[in-house]
Amino acid sequence: MKYMLLLYDNPDTRDLFTSEEGKELMAQVETIMAELSESGEMIGGEALAEPPATRTVGLDGVVTDGPLAEAKEYFGGYLMVDVELFERAVEIAQRWPSKPIEVRPLMAGGGTEM
Amino acid sequence: MSTTSDTERLLRELAPPALGALVRRHRDFEACEDALQEALLAAVAQWPRDGVPDHPHGWLVAVASRRLVDASRSDSARRRREEAVALEPEAEPGAVAAGDDTLTLMLLCCHPALTPASQIALTLRAVGGLTTEQIAAAFLVPEATMAQRISRAKATIRADGIRFALPPPQERDRRLAAVLHVLYLIFNEGYTAQRGDLADEAIRLARLLHRLLPAEDEVSGLLALMLLTNARRDARATADGALVALAEQDRGRWDHAAIAEGVALVGAALPRGPVGPYQLQAAIAAVHCEAPTAEATDWPQVLGLYTLLERVAPGPMVTLNRAVAVGMVHGPSAGLDVLDELDASGALDGHHRLDAVRAHLLELAGDSAAAGAAYERAAARTTSRSEQRYLRDRLSRLRAQAAAPPSPPGA
C-alpha cells in the first residue's frame, strides 16, 4: 500500500535545517532515505521551494504570489513509500527530524468485489 | 506488461527448471539468478535469429554456468567467443526432475525470512520469469525500487544460508500455505486493479503448482477460486471502470468455461478430506457462479459455507461476509445484529467495509437515513477510487429515491 508523507515546515525549521546544527538533521534525513531505499520501501520524495517562490491559482482563477493560506506552517515536501501497514508509514514519519507530518494513503485504482 | 513473443513465452517456462538445475550445481542462489538473467537475455537475442536449440534447457544452463565461472574475469571478448563454441550438452531434465526443481523454487521464494512484498517479487521473477520492469509496472513502483526488493530478497536467502532443497516435512505445509497466500495476493492485485495480465499470471502459476501437486486440495481450491472469480472479470466493471455489484452483473458476460472448470475442481476436492479455506471460498464462489440470476442464488448454502469457513479460518472479513449472507437468508435485521457483534469486538474499527455492508443492509431494511450516513462514512474512508465512486453512487441513488414520490403498491 502506498502512502504519502506530507512534510510541513515553518520558518524556524527551514532555518534550522540550513544552519550548523542542521547538518546533523540533514544527516538523519539521509540515513532514513538510505534505509528506505535499501529496504525497497522508498518510492520517491522531493523538497519543495519556500512560500516566496510559490504561486497560487485561487478559486476564482486569479493568480497570486505566495501559498494558499497565510499560515506559519506550509507544505514543504513529501516522501512516498510502499509498505505493508499504515503503522509502518507512521513509524517512518515519527523518525523524521521535522514535524508535523500528515500520513495519507494513496487512492488505489482497484476495489474489492462488492 | 507487454505481449510476449513465442520465444519469451518459451523462456518463461524454461527459466524455473533451469534456475533449479543451476542452484543445485552452483549453490549461490543470487549469483545463479543473475547469471540466468544474462543467459535469458542472450537467448532472446539469438533464438529468434538462429532458431531454438535442440536442447534449450541444456543451452540455458550451460550459458549461465559459463557466466558464473567467468564472473570474476572481465574479458568480455573471450566470453563471447566461448559462447559461440559448441557448448557442453547437458541432458534435458525428465519431467519429474524439472517439476521437483520448480516446486523447490516456488517454496524457496516464499521463505518466511522474506517479507510478503519480497516473496511476491521473487516469485514473479524466479518462477514467473517476469522482468524487473514488468513486475515494477504491475505494482506501480519505480523499477529501481523493485530491483532493490528482488536483490534484497536474494541477499536474504544467501545470508540465511537457505539451501536449495525441499523444506523438511513439518515445515512443508506451512511453506505451501505461504506460496498459496502469495499467489492469492498476486491474483487479488491483478483482479481488483483490473490488470488482467497480472491475474492471468497468478492463474498460470497456480496451474503450475496444481500440476506439481495434484493431490493437494488447497492448491486445487485456490486455482478454482481464481478461475471462478476471474470468470466474472468482464462483468464486474463498466467500460469506464465503474464497479458493478455482483447482484447487478450481466451474467451473460461471465466466462462459463472457466466457471465449469472451477466448479469441477472444487467439486472434486471438497469431498476428499478436511476442507481448507481456499476450497471453502471456491465453493462459495461456485454457488454464486452457478446461479443463473442473482435472485436464484442459493443463499442458505452460501450462509452454511461461510459458517463453516468461520470455524476453519475465522476472521473479521469472513464474519462480515457471513453478515451479508445472514441478511439474505434471515432478513436485514439479523444481518445487522451480526455487524453489531463485530462492532463490539472492535476488530474492524473504522474500516470502510464495515460501514459499506451496514449501509447495504440498512438500505434493504428500508432505513434510508441511516443507510445514507453509512454510505457516506464508507466512501470517505475507502482508499479505492472505484469503490468510492460506487459508494457515492449508491448514496445519490438513495437520496434520489427518498426525494421521489413513493411508487404505487405492486410496482
Side-chain angles (χ1 to χ4, degrees):
Chain A
M1 181 88 198
K2 297 188 187 70
Y3 295 87
M4 195 171 264
L5 275 60
L6 302 164
L7 312 170
Y8 284 86
D9 285 343
N10 59 56
D12 298 333
T13 54
R14 282 281 162 140
D15 287 343
L16 188 58
F17 265 85
T18 49
S19 72
E20 262 307 306
E21 307 139 319
K23 288 198 181 141
E24 166 57 36
L25 298 176
M26 277 316 295
Q28 283 176 35
V29 164
E30 267 150 46
T31 303
I32 296 171
M33 307 264 287
E35 280 175 22
L36 293 175
S37 292
E38 200 338 83
S39 67
E41 292 167 300
M42 169 74 86
I43 304 285
E46 298 287 354
L48 299 179
E50 296 180 30
T54 301
R55 293 183 194 172
T56 298
V57 179
L59 279 172
D60 48 7
V62 175
V63 180
T64 52
D65 283 338
L68 181 60
E70 284 307 325
K72 190 163 175 255
E73 251 137 24
Y74 55 89
F75 181 42
Y78 76 90
L79 204 57
M80 185 146 68
V81 296
D82 186 9
V83 297
E84 286 288 323
L85 300 168
F86 210 145
E87 285 75 11
R88 172 60 183 156
V90 170
E91 183 186 48
I92 295 167
Q94 284 174 314
R95 282 183 63 201
W96 198 262
S98 74
K99 315 271 195 294
I101 301 175
E102 268 188 26
V103 182
R104 302 260 285 256
L106 265 64
M107 293 297 285
T112 44
E113 182 97 280
M114 302 309 293
Chain B
M1 288 185 275
S2 54
T3 53
T4 52
S5 67
D6 289 334
T7 307
E8 282 169 8
R9 232 187 320 254
L10 174 63
L11 287 171
R12 280 175 56 198
E13 280 170 30
L14 291 168
L19 182 56
L22 284 166
V23 178
R24 270 191 297 103
R25 230 199 247 182
H26 301 278
R27 302 298 172 87
D28 186 337
F29 183 88
E30 189 173 3
C32 288
E33 216 277 322
D34 287 342
L36 179 61
Q37 285 307 308
E38 291 186 51
L40 290 169
L41 284 171
V44 164
Q46 291 174 35
W47 293 7
R49 189 187 67 211
D50 303 338
V52 175
D54 289 336
H55 303 286
H57 170 85
W59 192 98
L60 284 175
V61 174
V63 169
S65 294
R66 299 264 161 151
R67 296 272 191 214
L68 278 164
V69 164
D70 288 349
S72 56
R73 305 177 205 163
S74 57
D75 185 346
S76 56
R78 189 181 56 181
R79 246 187 285 149
R80 278 199 294 278
R81 274 203 305 279
E82 284 180 319
E83 263 166 63
V85 166
L87 305 168
E88 245 178 56
E90 150 156 332
E92 294 304 280
V96 173
D100 280 349
D101 277 353
T102 302
L103 178 61
T104 303
L105 190 59
M106 287 183 93
L107 296 177
L108 181 69
C109 288
C110 295
H111 192 281
L114 303 170
T115 64
S118 294
Q119 291 173 350
I120 288 172
L122 197 56
T123 298
L124 284 172
R125 172 56 169 253
V127 188
L130 298 178
T131 64
T132 305
E133 189 190 343
Q134 288 170 326
I135 305 169
F139 289 91
L140 302 172
V141 301
E143 194 175 337
T145 301
M146 192 53 76
Q148 182 57 26
R149 275 187 206 163
I150 291 171
S151 145
R152 196 154 191 259
K154 293 193 284 188
T156 302
I157 287 177
R158 163 191 253 175
D160 284 25
I162 297 165
R163 291 184 51 244
F164 187 79
L166 287 171
Q170 60 268 44
E171 175 61 24
R172 189 185 157 279
D173 283 344
R174 227 178 339 189
R175 192 74 67 78
L176 182 58
V179 173
L180 294 178
H181 183 62
V182 161
L183 294 184
Y184 176 80
L185 288 174
I186 296 170
F187 175 79
N188 198 56
E189 177 66 28
Y191 182 73
T192 60
Q194 287 164 47
R195 300 188 49 101
D197 44 10
L198 191 57
D200 288 341
E201 177 62 15
I203 290 174
R204 186 181 79 90
L205 294 175
R207 280 196 195 285
L208 177 57
L209 192 56
H210 176 59
R211 260 202 317 275
L212 295 172
L213 298 171
E216 284 288 344
D217 291 334
E218 275 292 84
V219 177
S220 308
L222 178 64
L223 177 56
L225 177 61
M226 287 182 184
L227 289 168
L228 290 162
T229 307
N230 203 47
R232 306 194 288 251
R233 184 155 109 192
D234 288 343
R236 77 179 291 259
T238 63
D240 60 349
L243 290 178
V244 179
L246 183 57
E248 288 163 29
Q249 287 176 13
D250 175 2
R251 296 185 180 214
R253 303 193 63 201
W254 287 0
D255 180 350
H256 293 280
I259 290 172
E261 191 185 349
V263 167
L265 268 168
V266 66
L270 270 177
R272 269 203 291 256
V275 278
Y278 287 119
Q279 290 162 75
L280 285 170
Q281 289 175 77
I284 291 164
V287 174
H288 283 297
C289 284
E290 287 189 298
T293 62
E295 295 70 34
T297 305
D298 187 346
W299 281 104
Q301 201 185 1
V302 171
L303 178 54
L305 288 165
Y306 271 120
T307 307
L308 190 50
L309 182 59
E310 224 174 1
R311 255 182 266 147
V312 164
M317 286 304 182
V318 179
T319 307
L320 200 55
N321 287 331
R322 185 171 66 81
V324 174
V326 167
M328 297 305 286
V329 175
H330 299 298
S333 287
L336 286 164
D337 287 342
V338 177
L339 290 188
D340 286 341
E341 284 165 29
L342 253 182
D343 243 344
S345 80
L348 283 177
D349 248 358
H351 200 292
H352 79 276
R353 296 227 79 214
L354 181 52
D355 276 321
V357 172
R358 175 172 282 124
H360 171 73
L361 288 171
L362 285 166
E363 188 175 0
L364 286 177
D367 188 346
S368 303
Y375 274 127
E376 196 147 26
R377 279 195 310 269
R381 282 223 184 96
T382 181
T383 54
S384 156
R385 274 196 296 271
S386 42
E387 267 192 58
Q388 191 176 63
R389 182 175 161 187
Y390 173 83
L391 291 164
R392 295 229 157 104
D393 222 51
R394 289 221 71 92
L395 179 57
S396 16
R397 265 200 256 181
L398 204 57
R399 289 191 174 144
Q401 275 164 15
S407 31

